C-alpha cells in the first residue's frame, strides 16, 4: 500500500484533462458540453462506475438507483463519477450460457478502464458470472477498484413456507413430474419464489462469489451479506463511492491485496459456506489474472480441514441469505474460522482481514454453526480424480444423499443434452436407482459454454418410486442452488476426447468421495480401442465471438479463461493523441 498520497497532476486522468494542447481542449470542452463545470472534474479522481444494469437482468434491477447512490459517495469524497455501462450476464436468460460470456465481460471491463480517463473503478455486479468477470477485468487492468455487490433478494414464500431460488425450483419441478403437486400449485410456486430485486438468496453461485469477493478484500467489510432491498444496501453503495476516491489517492490496487494467501482465504470461505462448485472455476481464473497459480489440489487440501458452518440451502435444510445476514453475515462466519485464515491480508478499506473481523458476533448459532456443532466436519467441496477424470472433477458432498458418496453402478449414457431430454422419461429406458447417469458433451466446448446442466434429471419412472437422488456425472456445471450426488467439471471434457467420451451404457462406474476417486471399470486396453474409434465432433461456430471462444478457451481445471489473457507483457496505457 502506498504511504504517500498522489498529487492531482499524478492522476491518470490528468493525461486527458490536464495538458495544455488541442486534444485536452477537446476533452475539457466535451465534458463542459455535458453540463459539468470545470470545478467538477479539474484535479479530481475520475471514477468509472462499471454498471451491468439491464432490463433483462432481474438481479440488477436496482442498479440504476444504486449507481446514483455510488455517485453521491464519489461526489461527497471529492471525485468525479462517470457511469459506464457494460454487458449484462443474466443467468436465466442468456444462452447458451452466461459462462460463455464471462470472459467477454472481463475483457470489456479491462478495455473500458484502459481506454477511458479513469483513475479508479466501482464494479457493480452480483448475478453469478458477473462477479468473477468484473474482478478478472479489473485485476488485469490493475487500477484502484472496489466491488459493489448486488445483494441477495428477499426470501420467497409459498403457503407460509420459505422458498429458496433455484433450490426449490428443482425440488418442486421433481414433485410436479412425479404427480405430487398440481399445475396450479406449481404456478403458485412460480409466483412466490422471487419477491424482490437482487440475486439468488440461497448459497448459490451469486451469493458464493460475492462472499468470496469480500473475503478476497474486494468489498467493504460486510457488504456481500446485505439483502438488496435492505436500507443498509444503498448506504453501503454510497460508502463504496466514498472509499474508491480515497483508494485512488492512496494508489491501492488489486495487485496490493490479491495474493496466494488471500486466495487461500477465499477457498476456506467456500468450504465453510459449502458454496457453489462453480467457485473452483472462477477462483482459478481470478487467481490467474493476479499471477497466482491456483491448482485444484489446493481446494482439496483446504477442504479436508475446513468445517461447513453455514446452514444455508441447498446444503443446509432451512435457512436463506436473509437469515444469514441477520445471524451476523459473512464476517461472523469468517470469525468462526479465523484460525484457518491469513488475517494479515490487506482489503480495500485499507485494513487487514483480521482487523475487519474484530468484534463481530454470531446472533443465531443454528444459521452460522459454532465449530463444536458444524454442519459437516470437513468437505464442503471435494475434488475427484481417476481414469474418468485425470484432470479432476468436483462434487459437493453436503448436498448429496450420504449413501451415494461411495457407490458403484451401471452407466446410462446420454450423448448430449438433446439426447437426454428425448429419452430420460422413456418408460423403456434401462435404468434403476443404482444406475449412474452420464451426460457427455456438456463442457466448455461441447455444449458449448459449459451450461448448468449438471443436475441431471431423475427419470420420471424413478421419481414415481420415490427416488430423489442418484449419482450423476457430466463435464457440465451445476447451478450453485442445485443439490444431489452430481459429479461435475469432468476434465478433460468429452468433446476434446476426454475419457468421459469413451463411456458406454452398462460400464460400471465407481464413485468414492472419501477416497476422492472416480473410475470407470474398463481396462486400459479396451479404453484404448474405444479411443482409436472416437472422432472429434465438428465445431459449433465458424465465425464471430463463438469462434474466438472455441480457439482460446481453457478446460475447467484451468479456469475456462482465454489462454491469451494469461500470456505476454502487460498492456500499456494508450497514448493520448
Amino acid at each position: 500500500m502506498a504511504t504517500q498520497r498522489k498529487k492531482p497532476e499524478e492522476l491518470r486522468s490528468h493525461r486527458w484533462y490536464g495538458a495544455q494542447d488541442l486534444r485536452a481542449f477537446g476533452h475539457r470542452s466535451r465534458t463542459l458540453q455535458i453540463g459539468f463545470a470545470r470545478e467538477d472534474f479539474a484535479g479530481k479522481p475520475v471514477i468509472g462506475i462499471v454498471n451491468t444494469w439491464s432490463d433483462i437482468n432481474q438481479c440488477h434491477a436496482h442498479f440504476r438507483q444504486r449507481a446514483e447512490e455510488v455517485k453521491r459517495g464519489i461526489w461527497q469524497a471529492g471525485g468525479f463519477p462517470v457511469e459506464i455501462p457494460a454487458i449484462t450476464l443474466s443467468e436465466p436468460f442468456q444462452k447458451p450460457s452466461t459462462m460463455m460470456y464471462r470472459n467477454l465481460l472481463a475483457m470489456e471491463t479491462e478495455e473500458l478502464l484502459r481506454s477511458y480517463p479513469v483513475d479508479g473503478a466501482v464494479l457493480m455486479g452480483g448475478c453469478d458470472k458477473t462477479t468473477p468477470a468484473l474482478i478478472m477485468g479489473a485485476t488485469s487492468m490493475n487500477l484502484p477498484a472496489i466491488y459493489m455487490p448486488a445483494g441477495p433478494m428477499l426470501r420467497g414464500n409459498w403457503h407460509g413456507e420459505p422458498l429458496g431460488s433455484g433450490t426449490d425450483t428443482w425440488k418442486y419441478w421433481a414433485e410436479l413430474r412425479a404427480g405430487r403437486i398440481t399445475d396450479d400449485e406449481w404456478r403458485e410456486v412460480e409466483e412466490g419464489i422471487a419477491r424482490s430485486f437482487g440475486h439468488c438468496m440461497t448459497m448459490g453461485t451469486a451469493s458464493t462469489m460475492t462472499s468470496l469477493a469480500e473475503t478476497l478484500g474486494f468489498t467493504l467489510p460486510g457488504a456481500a451479506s446485505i439483502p438488496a432491498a435492505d436500507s443498509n444496501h444503498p448506504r453501503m453503495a454510497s460508502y463504496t463511492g466514498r472509499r474508491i476516491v480515497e483508494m485512488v489517492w492512496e494508489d491501492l490496487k488489486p495487485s496490493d491485496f490479491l495474493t496466494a494467501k488471500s486466495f487461500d482465504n477465499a477457498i476456506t470461505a467456500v468450504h465453510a459456506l459449502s458454496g457453489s462448485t462453480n467457485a473452483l472455476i472462477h477462483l482459478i481464473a481470478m487467481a490467474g489474472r493476479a499471477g497466482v497459480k491456483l491448482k485444484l489440489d489446493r481446494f482439496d487440501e483446504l477442504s479436508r480441514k475446513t468445517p461447513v458452518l453455514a446452514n444455508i440451502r441447498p446444503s443446509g435444510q432451512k435457512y436463506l441469505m436473509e437469515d444469514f445476514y441477520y445471524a451476523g453475515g459473512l464476517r461472523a462466519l469468517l470469525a468462526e474460522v479465523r484460525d484457518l485464515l491469513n488475517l494479515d491480508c490487506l482489503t480495500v478499506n485499507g485494513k487487514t482481514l483480521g482487523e475487519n473481523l474484530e468484534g463481530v458476533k454470531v446472533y443465531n448459532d443454528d444459521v452460522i454453526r459454532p465449530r463444536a456443532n458444524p454442519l459437516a466436519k470437513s468437505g464442503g467441496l471435494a475434488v475427484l480424480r481417476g481414469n474418468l477424470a485425470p484432470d479432476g472433477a468436483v462434487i459437493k458432498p453436503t448436498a448429496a444423499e450420504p449413501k451415494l458418496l461411495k457407490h458403484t453402478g451401471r452407466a446410462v449414457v446420454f450423448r448430449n443434452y438433446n439426447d437426454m431430454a428425448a429419452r430420460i422419461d422413456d418408460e423403456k429406458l434401462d435404468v434403476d436407482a443404482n444406475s449412474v447417469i452420464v451426460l457427455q458433451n456438456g463442457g466448455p466446448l461441447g455444449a458449448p459454454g459449459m451450461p448448468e446442466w449438471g443436475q441431471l434429471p431423475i427419470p420420471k419412472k424413478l421419481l414415481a418410486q420415490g427416488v430423489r437422488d442418484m449419482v450423476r456425472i457430466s463435464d457440465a456445471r451445476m447451478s450453485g442452488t442445485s443439490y444431489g450426488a452430481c459429479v461435475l467439471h469432468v476434465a478433460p471434457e468429452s468433446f476434446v476426447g476426454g475419457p468421459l467420451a469413451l463411456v458406454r451404457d452398462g460400464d460400471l462406474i465407481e464413485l468414492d468421495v472419501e477416497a476422492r476417486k472416480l473410475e470407470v471399470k474398463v481396462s486400459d486396453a479396451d479404453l484404448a480401442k474405444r479411443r482409436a474409434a472416437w472422432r472429434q465432433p465438428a465445431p459449433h461456430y465458424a465465425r464471430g465471438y463463438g469462434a474466438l471462444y472455441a480457439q482460446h478457451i481453457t478446460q475447467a481445471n484451468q479456469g475456462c479463461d482465454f489462454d491469451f489473457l494469461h500470456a505476454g507483457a502487460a498492456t500499456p496505457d494508450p497514448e493520448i493523441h
Side-chain angles (χ1 to χ4, degrees):
M1 182 174 174
T3 57
Q4 188 171 0
R5 289 170 68 87
K6 279 186 174 181
K7 300 175 182 178
E9 60 270 22
E10 294 174 326
L11 293 172
R12 183 174 180 268
S13 60
H14 183 78
R15 298 172 57 229
W16 275 263
Y17 282 116
Q20 297 304 315
D21 57 22
L22 181 61
R23 189 57 60 198
F25 167 89
H27 300 148
R28 292 189 294 268
S29 67
R30 293 304 186 181
T31 304
L32 293 166
Q33 176 188 6
I34 301 171
F36 292 112
R38 200 177 301 271
E39 296 78 24
D40 289 334
F41 62 87
K44 296 181 177 181
V46 178
I47 306 300
I49 303 171
V50 183
N51 191 350
T52 52
W53 174 88
S54 170
D55 273 331
I56 199 68
N57 194 332
Q58 67 296 324
C59 299
H60 300 175
H62 53 315
F63 272 11
R64 274 182 167 173
Q65 181 61 36
R66 290 296 179 272
E68 296 305 311
E69 289 145 356
V70 170
K71 290 176 186 178
R72 180 175 69 202
I74 293 169
W75 286 120
Q76 289 170 341
F80 179 53
V82 179
E83 187 177 351
I84 308 173
I87 184 176
T88 201
L89 306 181
S90 180
E91 197 64 30
F93 291 103
Q94 192 168 34
K95 307 301 179 187
S97 163
T98 52
M99 187 66 188
M100 184 162 170
Y101 296 99
R102 183 200 67 181
N103 298 343
L104 183 61
L105 175 56
M107 291 173 66
E108 182 180 22
T109 301
E110 178 182 350
E111 299 304 328
L112 285 173
L113 299 182
R114 177 177 293 111
S115 58
Y116 283 109
V118 171
D119 298 300
V122 174
L123 313 169
M124 295 179 59
C127 195
D128 295 15
K129 314 305 177 296
T130 311
T131 300
L134 290 169
I135 289 177
M136 288 159 65
T139 300
S140 292
M141 184 56 200
N142 202 34
L143 290 178
I146 188 169
Y147 189 72
M148 196 222 77
M153 69 177 91
L154 300 178
R155 65 171 73 89
N157 180 73
W158 180 58
H159 292 186
E161 295 295 323
L163 291 176
S165 52
T167 302
D168 279 317
T169 303
W170 322 126
K171 173 183 174 180
Y172 287 109
W173 177 243
E175 296 304 305
L176 180 69
R177 292 173 63 226
R180 297 193 180 188
I181 65 171
T182 67
D183 287 337
D184 286 343
E185 288 173 319
W186 172 247
R187 188 175 294 109
E188 290 172 351
V189 171
E190 182 179 293
E191 293 170 353
I193 201 166
R195 294 177 43 246
S196 78
F197 47 77
H199 58 67
C200 289
M201 74 313 234
T202 45
M203 187 48 70
T205 304
S207 293
T208 299
M209 294 312 301
T210 55
S211 296
L212 299 190
E214 181 175 331
T215 306
L216 285 168
F218 238 111
T219 80
L220 293 178
S225 304
I226 306 171
D230 192 292
S231 61
N232 282 303
H233 199 270
R235 285 196 287 274
M236 177 271 293
S238 290
Y239 289 139
T240 297
R242 290 200 283 277
R243 178 56 193 156
I244 187 58
V245 176
E246 290 304 305
M247 288 176 66
V248 169
W249 291 125
E250 296 165 4
D251 198 28
L252 178 55
K253 305 180 296 297
S255 59
D256 297 316
F257 57 86
L258 292 182
T259 65
K261 286 184 176 182
S262 64
F263 279 99
D264 274 357
N265 287 343
I267 295 170
T268 298
V270 170
H271 296 312
L273 292 164
S274 194
S276 169
T277 51
N278 289 306
L280 279 75
I281 292 176
H282 296 318
L283 281 175
I284 290 171
M286 293 158 69
R289 298 299 188 97
V292 175
K293 302 295 184 183
L294 189 54
K295 302 292 186 182
L296 277 179
D297 291 341
R298 188 59 177 158
F299 288 86
D300 210 57
E301 291 168 10
L302 296 177
S303 172
R304 291 180 183 274
K305 64 180 183 180
T306 305
V308 178
L309 301 182
N311 187 13
I312 306 172
R313 299 163 74 183
S315 289
Q317 298 301 310
K318 182 176 180 182
Y319 299 110
L320 298 167
M321 287 299 294
E322 197 174 340
D323 306 298
F324 185 58
Y325 176 60
Y326 301 145
L330 179 68
R331 286 198 301 160
L333 178 133
L334 293 179
E336 287 292 311
V337 293
R338 61 183 301 135
D339 59 303
L340 303 178
L341 300 171
N342 300 291
L343 298 174
D344 58 346
C345 288
L346 190 64
T347 72
V348 291
N349 72 340
K351 298 181 180 180
T352 65
L353 179 64
E355 290 173 318
N356 290 338
L357 298 182
E358 290 177 1
V360 302
K361 296 179 180 179
V362 174
Y363 299 105
N364 185 330
D365 63 6
D366 192 38
V367 179
I368 301 173
R369 296 284 186 88
R371 294 287 282 275
N373 183 32
L375 205 66
K377 292 182 178 180
S378 64
L381 300 173
V383 175
L384 310 172
R385 294 188 187 272
N387 69 349
L388 196 51
D391 291 338
V394 64
I395 189 172
K396 184 189 287 191
T398 53
E401 288 189 6
K403 67 180 182 180
L404 295 174
L405 298 180
K406 184 177 176 64
H407 181 83
T408 299
R410 295 183 303 110
V412 178
V413 182
F414 298 100
R415 299 183 304 278
N416 52 47
Y417 186 89
N418 289 337
D419 180 36
M420 180 185 69
R423 297 194 293 125
I424 192 72
D425 288 339
D426 189 337
E427 286 291 329
K428 298 178 181 178
L429 184 69
D430 185 12
V431 63
D432 59 39
N434 292 315
S435 298
V436 174
I437 299 178
V438 174
L439 174 67
Q440 299 168 335
N441 293 308
L445 287 166
M450 206 179 183
E452 293 179 341
W453 295 343
Q455 192 195 25
L456 308 178
I458 306 294
K460 189 173 181 178
K461 67 181 181 182
L462 297 183
L463 287 173
Q465 298 171 18
V467 176
R468 291 297 181 269
D469 199 5
M470 297 175 66
V471 174
R472 290 158 278 178
I473 301 173
S474 74
D475 44 15
R477 295 178 302 110
M478 181 172 78
S479 169
T481 66
S482 300
Y483 52 87
C486 300
V487 177
L488 312 157
H489 309 182
V490 172
E493 65 174 307
S494 51
F495 192 85
V496 299
L500 192 68
L502 310 180
V503 178
R504 296 179 180 173
D505 285 333
D507 290 345
L508 288 180
I509 293 179
E510 179 187 6
L511 168 67
D512 188 337
V513 174
E514 180 61 29
R516 300 300 198 260
K517 184 167 67 172
L518 184 66
E519 296 272 347
V520 57
K521 298 301 182 180
V522 176
S523 70
D524 291 344
D526 283 344
L527 287 176
K529 290 178 183 178
R530 295 181 189 183
R531 182 173 300 283
W534 179 83
R535 296 293 178 267
Q536 172 78 51
H540 291 282
Y541 298 98
R543 60 170 300 281
Y545 176 73
L548 173 72
Y549 171 94
Q551 291 165 14
H552 295 286
I553 194 70
T554 60
Q555 289 290 295
N557 62 301
Q558 298 171 305
C560 294
D561 204 355
F562 288 156
D563 53 13
F564 63 82
L565 294 174
H566 294 260
T571 305
D573 272 351
E575 296 182 0
I576 310 298
H577 295 308

